[in-house]
Amino acid sequence: MRKRIPIFMILLVFLFSFSGCYYFSARNEIKTAEKLLSDLKGSGGASKTPYEYCSAESFLYGAKLEFEHNDFKVAKELASRSRAASEAGLTELKKR
C-alpha cells in the first residue's frame, strides 16, 4: 500500500504541472497579441487595414474571455490568431 501513495502523488504533481503550462503560455500569448494590436492601432491600422484590425481585436477579446473562464488552451489559440492578424496588418501597412 505504501508504494502506491508515492506513485499517485507523482502522477498528481505531473498533471498539475502540465495544466499550468497552458496558463502561462496563454497569458504570454495574450500579452504579445495586446502589444501587436496596440502597435497596429498606433500605426493607423483601424482605418488603413480595417479587416486585420477588427479580426485581431475580436480574437483578442475572445482570448481574454476564455482566459477568464479558465479555458487556457482555447485562449492561447485565439490569442495566436489575434497575433497573426495584427502581424498581417502591420505587414500590409509596411507595404504601403
Side-chain angles (χ1 to χ4, degrees):
M1 184 73 178
R2 292 188 124 193
K3 291 183 180 181
R4 290 185 182 169
I5 292 174
I7 292 172
F8 176 73
M9 295 300 265
I10 291 171
L11 180 63
L12 190 64
V13 169
F14 183 72
L15 290 174
F16 278 122
S17 67
F18 274 120
S19 66
C21 291
Y22 274 120
Y23 171 82
F24 292 113
S25 63
R27 187 184 67 180
N28 292 338
E29 193 70 27
I30 288 172
K31 285 182 182 181
T32 303
E34 285 176 332
K35 183 188 178 311
L36 286 171
L37 182 61
S38 176
D39 292 346
L40 181 61
K41 187 176 185 178
S43 299
S47 60
K48 296 177 184 173
T49 56
Y51 177 77
E52 288 84 358
Y53 178 79
C54 289
S55 295
E57 193 173 49
S58 297
F59 284 131
L60 184 60
Y61 175 77
K64 288 179 179 180
L65 192 63
E66 292 298 331
F67 191 83
E68 289 174 6
H69 289 105
N70 298 326
D71 196 351
F72 305 122
K73 184 176 182 179
V74 175
K76 183 179 183 296
E77 291 171 3
L78 290 172
S80 294
R81 286 181 163 190
S82 174
R83 179 181 48 81
S86 292
E87 288 172 347
L90 288 170
T91 301
E92 186 66 32
L93 287 174
K94 287 179 184 178
K95 288 181 183 178
R96 294 181 181 188

